[in-house]
């Protein structure tokens, strides 16, 4: 299969890249400003269009929208959460997902059973609200909502959409004390994506296969 992963240079993206490559899939990994990856700033429409043109007529079986930022970690309600952080976070975590899907749609339509995986978070769930990290939570809630609505509109094109909580993963974003190893998260996510179909499109699931509350 041909798999495209945004933000493949580190963390969960790098673990997904390694796991897919190890089983023999062709991985097209993107990153911003890393020469060993396809160059992509997910927030830049021109860069998105250039990527779509660069991969020419390659049919994509899976597009994984993984690139994300967590810029308000540890901020205080009293004096944190500046307006620029809201704009920058939503540009990557929400608009970046939409632009990726929009620009790669013709490549997905060229595959037999195309799938889109959106890496959201349990921090975007309206039913699991524990406070703080308002910008990140809001962006992941928006990514979840985006995925749910894309699932409706793309079903008629034969494209399934899954939204996933990858777990609390030991990455630069998750920290060294996180519960899940990147390799385990990647393997679990791949199993979920492999099982994704038009019957399950729009589902919000955890990396280890549990239905997640919205």
């Amino acid at each position: 299969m041909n798999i495209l992963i945004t933000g493949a240079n580190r963390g969960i993206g790098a673990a997904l890249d390694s796991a897919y490559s190890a089983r023999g899939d062709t991985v097209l990994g993107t990153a911003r400003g890393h020469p060993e990856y396809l160059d992509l700033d997910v927030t830049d429409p021109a860069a998105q269009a250039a990527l779509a043109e660069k991969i020419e007529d390659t049919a994509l079986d899976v597009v994984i929208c993984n690139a994300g930022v967590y810029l308000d970690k540890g901020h205080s309600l009293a004096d944190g959460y500046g307006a620029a952080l809201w704009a920058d976070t939503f540009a990557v975590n929400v608009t970046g997902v939409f632009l990726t899907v929009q620009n790669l749609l013709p490549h997905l339509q060229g595959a037999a059973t195309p799938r889109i995986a959106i890496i959201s978070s349990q921090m975007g769930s309206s039913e699991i609200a524990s406070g703080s990290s308002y910008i990140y939570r809001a962006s992941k809630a928006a990514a979840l909502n985006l995925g749910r609505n894309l699932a409706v509109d793309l079903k008629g094109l034969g494209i399934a959409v899954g939204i996933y909580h990858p777990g609390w993963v030991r990455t630069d974003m998750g920290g060294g004390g996180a519960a899940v190893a990147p390799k385990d998260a990647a393997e679990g996510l791949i199993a979920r994506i492999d099982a994704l179909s038009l019957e399950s499109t729009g589902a919000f699931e955890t990396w280890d296969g549990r239905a997640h509350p919205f």
Side-chain angles (χ1 to χ4, degrees):
M1 293 196 302
N2 294 325
I3 319 292
L4 188 139
I5 305 169
T6 65
N9 59 306
R10 63 179 182 175
I12 296 167
L16 286 165
D17 187 341
S18 295
Y20 274 119
S21 297
R23 77 175 196 179
D25 293 308
T26 299
V27 178
L28 290 76
T30 81
R32 185 173 56 183
H34 288 266
E36 63 269 37
Y37 298 93
L38 292 167
D39 189 38
L40 178 64
D41 177 348
V42 296
T43 71
D44 181 357
Q48 291 276 10
L51 172 66
E53 184 176 353
K54 185 178 182 65
I55 63 176
E56 297 179 326
D57 58 352
T58 302
L60 296 174
D61 299 282
V62 179
V63 170
I64 302 177
C65 298
N66 165 74
V69 294
Y70 185 179
L71 303 179
D72 60 323
K73 189 174 184 178
H75 274 227
S76 164
L77 179 58
D79 57 9
Y81 306 104
L85 294 184
W86 286 89
D88 292 345
T89 300
F90 270 72
V92 176
N93 293 359
V94 186
T95 308
V97 172
F98 179 79
L99 291 175
T100 299
V101 172
Q102 185 180 52
N103 280 274
L104 296 178
L105 194 55
H107 299 272
L108 284 158
Q109 289 179 276
T113 54
R115 283 154 282 170
I116 296 167
I118 296 173
I119 306 303
S120 181
S121 170
Q122 68 177 11
M123 292 175 72
S125 169
S126 296
E127 296 184 34
I128 302 178
S130 55
S132 74
S133 298
Y134 303 113
I135 303 175
Y136 183 76
R137 289 181 189 278
S139 73
K140 289 302 186 179
L144 170 57
N145 182 275
L146 174 60
R148 295 275 291 166
N149 283 282
L150 283 170
V152 173
D153 288 336
L154 295 179
K155 188 171 185 178
L157 297 178
I159 301 171
V161 181
I163 309 102
Y164 302 100
H165 166 56
W168 182 25
V169 186
R170 291 193 290 275
T171 62
D172 290 344
M173 186 182 293
V180 183
K183 180 177 182 293
D184 293 336
E187 290 176 354
L189 288 168
I190 289 171
R192 307 285 77 73
I193 297 165
D194 283 346
L196 177 62
S197 68
L198 292 176
E199 286 67 40
S200 60
T201 191
F204 183 28
E205 297 179 319
T206 65
W207 67 280
D208 54 354
R210 291 173 290 118
H212 200 290
F214 297 107

